[in-house]
Amino acid sequence: MTMKKWLSLTMVAALMSTVVACSGGNNKPEASSSPSASASQPSASSAESPSASAEQPAADEAGWKSDTSPITFDWYLNFAWFPNKWGVDPTSQYITKKTGVSLNLVVPAGNENEKLNAMIAANQLPDFITLGWWEEGVKKMIEGGLVESLTDLADQYDPYFFKVADGAKLSWYAQPDGKTYVYPNASSSPADFKNFGTQFTSNQTFVVRKDMYEAIGSPDMRTPEGFLNALKMAKEKFPEVNGQPLIPIGFHEFGEDGNYSFFDVGQDSSYLSHYLALPREKEGKLYDRLTDPEYVRWLKTFRQANQDSLISKDVFVDKRAQMEEKIAQGRYFAMLYQRTDFAAQQNVLYAKDPNSVYIAVDGPANTNLDAPTLAGPAISGWTVTLISKNVKDKERAIKFLSYLISEEGQKDMYLGEKGVSYDTIDGKDQFKPEALNLMNTDRSAFDKQYGASHTFWMLMDTNMQLQWQPPAVEPFKQLEDWTKGKTESYSQYDLINPPATSKEGINAKKIATEWGKALPKLLLAKSEADFDQTFNDFIAKRDKTGFAELMAYRQTKYEENVKKLAEFLK
């Protein structure tokens, strides 16, 4: 994934350009595609931590300080695009010198799920594992007894964990046995939304190329008529970009479950529905946005755009690498796209010509022209991290995790080492000017030269970092600012999908796959009658494939989530 949720985060915009924007770059690291041998078999000490007999620190003392001898943990990230290595930059070197912990970061060479499933099947999980919270692998590892309970490890080895961990997040992820096995990054609880909500932004944007948009008169694109007319004007005025055909409108890549820009049914994620301000529930009951008249009206608008030769065939087949190349060339006029996914390309355009960048504008809207209700940070976060039962040293592992989520660890990961990447300037700890300039102009180079600003984002706390975060600058500021005030929390709709192996889960996958086939057909339909036939056929198949039972399962989980979130605010 690209990251599949949400990700919806203010700082991810900056950090994601590390990987060439929210998942970008496709610069595959040269790390081994499998964990080192030490991760394959638990060492003799895995059952009993080497320092288990040592006197434990008090709950208000950082436990990691009791042992800073050298140790290397294997840490698997289920993201093939992650490009960075530990120990080659000053920040990771500083943390290793401070804590004694070094990391061997492992990423899959190809398909993430295939690699993770193979490790799970062979019980060859490395010490730490980080993956999207929505991934089925999370349930497989927990239910298969392959990972440690973080709360148990903390009880046994590191009471400090409970001081620095967010109780709401531990409760959110608690399993039926009352234990918590994962800890999220980029997570915002209801209390966080109350405290920081006005600063929260969304990744979900509708953008246009600034110079082209202004050249055609900055038209209103909120209505189907205005939208289609703007695409036509752009194509007529700018048929080519540097000798290549203009692509009037771009989207996220199409996958087997759909497309995030329109609707990814597997993840129940839809940028378009957020722009149309469609409710996700009505009177306490989950609402079927896919069949909402406003949504169907706009799907038909995009069908018309294709009929009018305003949708390039490239958008149906291009993968991330091809899309990034075309964005960097400025070939798209408009995109319904996650802003953090093109941060690096935005920088390229800005360096060439500040007027050629993409800016956020009002996009598709409902009949009432209501403001969009974009997805902001949620309590589920983006990724979750687990500790394997194969871990070399349970005690050092939980203590290092506690360090990483503590304010001290967050500051180290964000600002780096004092005097190197940051200093106290005008009475405030902040990035040194040369470091800040490099971060804003070449994030990839910044990661290699400094390794700060959560280059290693596995346990980043996007709320805690606000105290050190510098103000956004162009060409990113406008994109971020546009989403402020339009951002909402959709935490209550997370974690409501059934297990993949359950009857409801199997049916959910079948339905998602059917939608993945139907969506391109709808957009490519030669007539509105053909569209209606394809859409009705999908709905009929969906109903026959246990959709009512699936919605009943989700409704139960949704109601449980609502109660749980209400408790967090008491």
Side-chain angles (χ1 to χ4, degrees):
M1 156 197 193
T2 56
M3 122 182 141
K4 294 192 168 101
K5 284 285 187 188
W6 168 96
L7 296 188
S8 341
L9 325 160
T10 302
M11 74 76 54
V12 174
L15 107 91
M16 284 317 189
S17 41
T18 304
V19 288
V20 192
C22 181
S23 310
N26 290 295
N27 299 318
K28 292 185 179 179
E30 298 176 0
S32 167
S33 62
S34 59
S36 65
S38 61
S40 300
Q41 297 293 333
S43 66
S45 63
S46 65
E48 183 66 30
S49 181
S51 51
S53 60
E55 183 178 344
Q56 295 303 305
D60 59 349
E61 296 178 3
W64 64 268
K65 295 181 179 180
S66 64
D67 185 354
T68 58
S69 60
I71 186 172
T72 298
F73 286 119
D74 295 316
W75 195 313
Y76 175 79
L77 293 90
N78 199 43
F79 298 90
W81 47 259
F82 184 79
N84 299 303
K85 291 175 179 279
W86 187 271
V88 299
D89 60 88
T91 296
S92 59
Q93 292 170 356
Y94 167 64
I95 291 172
T96 293
K97 181 180 178 181
K98 182 175 187 176
T99 66
V101 177
S102 182
L103 300 178
N104 172 40
L105 299 177
V106 181
V107 298
N111 183 280
E112 289 97 340
N113 288 333
E114 288 180 5
K115 176 62 180 176
L116 181 62
N117 287 335
M119 291 193 298
I120 290 173
N123 190 17
Q124 292 186 343
L125 293 171
D127 303 305
F128 289 85
I129 310 99
T130 295
L131 69 166
W133 66 257
W134 60 90
E135 301 282 3
E136 188 62 25
V138 177
K139 294 178 182 177
K140 288 181 180 178
M141 288 185 284
I142 294 173
E143 294 173 1
L146 302 179
V147 291
E148 296 282 356
S149 157
L150 301 183
T151 44
D152 280 355
L153 290 180
D155 279 332
Q156 186 172 1
Y157 300 115
D158 189 29
Y160 182 67
F161 172 83
F162 294 109
K163 179 180 180 180
V164 296
D166 187 318
K169 295 165 189 176
L170 294 178
S171 296
W172 179 251
Y173 277 109
Q175 296 298 301
D177 61 7
K179 302 176 181 181
T180 301
Y181 296 79
V182 310
Y183 201 81
N185 75 352
S187 166
S188 291
S189 68
D192 291 329
F193 235 90
K194 288 183 67 175
N195 294 332
F196 306 109
T198 57
Q199 302 177 61
F200 286 161
T201 60
S202 175
N203 282 346
Q204 299 176 346
T205 47
F206 175 72
V207 300
V208 293
R209 189 169 144 169
K210 183 176 185 293
D211 50 0
M212 293 182 180
Y213 182 67
E214 293 175 349
I216 62 173
S218 303
D220 188 340
M221 299 181 71
R222 292 178 295 170
T223 67
E225 298 77 19
F227 185 86
L228 292 172
N229 188 50
L231 297 187
K232 289 176 183 176
M233 288 193 294
K235 185 177 181 181
E236 289 171 359
K237 193 170 185 66
F238 304 97
E240 291 187 345
V241 177
N242 297 324
Q244 298 288 333
L246 176 78
I247 303 173
I249 180 72
F251 317 104
H252 280 276
E253 68 179 76
F254 285 78
E256 64 178 16
D257 293 348
N259 182 309
Y260 299 121
S261 300
F262 295 102
F263 218 122
D264 183 300
V265 169
Q267 295 302 322
D268 194 27
S269 177
S270 168
Y271 289 11
L272 179 57
S273 71
H274 287 309
Y275 268 82
L276 302 181
L278 300 183
R280 297 192 65 170
E281 59 83 24
K282 287 188 175 182
E283 298 181 350
K285 299 298 181 183
L286 292 177
Y287 180 63
D288 182 14
R289 295 171 291 162
L290 194 64
T291 57
D292 186 283
E294 298 276 9
Y295 182 80
V296 175
R297 170 174 172 252
W298 270 94
L299 270 190
K300 289 184 175 182
T301 300
F302 284 105
R303 186 213 69 80
Q304 186 64 50
N306 181 69
Q307 183 174 310
D308 295 344
S309 300
L310 298 173
I311 295 183
S312 167
K313 297 299 184 286
D314 291 2
V315 304
F316 294 100
V317 296
D318 278 353
K319 298 301 180 184
R320 185 60 175 274
Q322 291 77 38
M323 296 166 68
E324 289 175 346
E325 180 180 354
K326 291 170 181 175
I327 294 172
Q329 295 168 347
R331 287 186 58 193
Y332 297 96
F333 164 62
M335 295 185 289
L336 185 56
Y337 204 72
Q338 182 165 258
R339 63 180 171 81
T340 51
D341 276 14
F342 64 92
Q345 291 73 34
Q346 180 86 326
N347 248 339
V348 171
L349 293 170
Y350 189 71
K352 292 179 181 176
D353 179 2
N355 284 319
S356 70
V357 300
Y358 289 96
I359 59 172
V361 298
D362 292 332
N366 61 32
T367 305
N368 294 329
L369 300 182
D370 294 323
T373 53
L374 307 177
I379 194 168
S380 295
W382 169 29
T383 68
V384 291
T385 291
L386 307 87
I387 296 177
S388 165
K389 284 193 173 178
N390 293 333
V391 66
K392 297 180 184 71
D393 187 324
K394 297 179 183 180
E395 182 170 351
R396 291 293 296 278
I398 188 63
K399 288 180 176 179
F400 185 60
L401 190 151
S402 295
Y403 158 74
L404 290 176
I405 66 175
S406 71
E407 183 167 345
E408 179 179 6
Q410 290 291 310
K411 184 176 182 180
D412 289 346
M413 278 290 198
Y414 190 77
L415 288 178
E417 183 176 9
K418 188 168 187 178
V420 178
S421 49
Y422 89 95
D423 224 323
T424 303
I425 304 172
D426 297 330
K428 179 182 178 181
D429 289 342
Q430 54 187 297
F431 286 118
K432 298 175 72 173
E434 60 270 27
L436 181 60
N437 179 64
L438 186 61
M439 183 174 76
N440 287 332
T441 56
D442 190 339
R443 178 64 204 224
S444 182
F446 171 88
D447 291 343
K448 293 177 175 61
Q449 185 169 332
Y450 293 104
S453 186
H454 287 305
T455 293
F456 306 98
W457 39 254
M458 295 86 81
L459 286 163
M460 65 180 178
D461 187 323
T462 47
N463 299 316
M464 192 179 294
Q465 75 167 36
L466 291 173
Q467 60 188 302
W468 310 300
Q469 186 171 297
V473 297
E474 299 300 354
F476 312 111
K477 185 177 186 298
Q478 190 273 342
L479 295 171
E480 290 186 20
D481 288 348
W482 188 90
T483 67
K484 290 180 179 179
K486 306 178 183 74
T487 301
E488 297 189 8
S489 173
Y490 291 104
S491 292
Q492 62 269 40
Y493 304 102
D494 290 346
L495 302 177
I496 65 174
N497 280 333
T501 55
S502 67
K503 179 182 177 181
E504 294 87 354
I506 293 171
N507 285 337
K509 182 58 181 174
K510 289 179 180 178
I511 292 170
T513 301
E514 282 297 329
W515 173 252
K517 297 174 183 177
L519 179 58
K521 293 179 181 178
L522 291 168
L523 300 175
L524 294 169
K526 294 182 179 179
S527 67
E528 190 166 317
D530 288 344
F531 176 102
D532 290 339
Q533 184 63 56
T534 299
F535 190 78
N536 291 335
D537 287 346
F538 165 72
I539 296 301
K541 289 180 181 178
R542 188 183 72 165
D543 291 343
K544 291 179 181 178
T545 314
F547 181 66
E549 291 80 4
L550 172 61
M551 289 298 286
Y553 180 95
R554 289 173 170 168
Q555 180 68 33
T556 298
K557 293 296 182 182
Y558 161 72
E559 291 173 3
E560 292 174 359
N561 285 350
V562 171
K563 293 178 182 177
K564 190 182 293 187
L565 290 167
E567 287 295 318
F568 297 157
L569 287 174
K570 289 183 178 179

